Amino acid sequence: LGMNTTMVEMLGRIEAMFPEPSETALKSSIDAFWTASQSLGANAADPAARSTFRQSGVKLVESMQEAGRQLNSMASDINEILTTKVTKVNEISKKIVALNKQISNFESVQSMPANDLRDQRDALVDELSSLARVTVQEDLEHNYVVQLDGVVLANGSAYTELKTTVDYDTDLYKKYNMKTLGIETNDKPPITLNITMGEIGALFQSR
């Protein structure tokens, strides 16, 4: 659900950038340029045809530059949202570890389920699952072991901190200087994660 909602939101933003029909839309500029070029081909000596072709070319370049600015702005916004989502993943993972410890301590002493604490932990897992697809297993000490793309985010003793990093090896950066972010663990050496599901996965796919 989180992934679908995010994808719909991102696609809506892209559609808003390129409204059709519109005199300022990129498609309209392309159509006008094509029409002008056809007219110029049929009337090469006509000053009016030349002027129209020249003006349509200028308009097309301006439309393409504006589209590029808007896409760059959207990419920047996505990077900011990704950073916020990763921070949220870290916060949730840390809370799960704390609840793991409370539940394990309580149930080892009381020999009964810590239902309220378990409910809180399940709610955190649900929230985390909306951000990215995680797998959860309960160990013998009643701790949730939460994994994302093979990385243990949380267990009974610690959580793995994630961070965003600029990926300089993408075509978007090499060709257009458009920065895109990747996600990796805050370890040495770091482990790069490939997240394809959830809100974070949708943000990656919408770039």
Side-chain angles (χ1 to χ4, degrees), residues 23 26-38 52-53 55-57 59-60:
E23 292 182 358
L26 179 58
K27 184 177 183 302
S28 296
S29 298
I30 294 173
D31 290 343
F33 180 77
W34 173 254
T35 300
S37 65
Q38 293 291 97
T52 300
F53 176 76
Q55 292 173 11
S56 65
K59 183 65 177 178
L60 177 58

Side-chain angles (χ1 to χ4, degrees), residues 184-195:
E184 63 185 27
T185 60
N186 195 23
D187 298 322
K188 292 182 179 180
I191 300 172
T192 300
L193 281 75
N194 180 30
I195 302 174

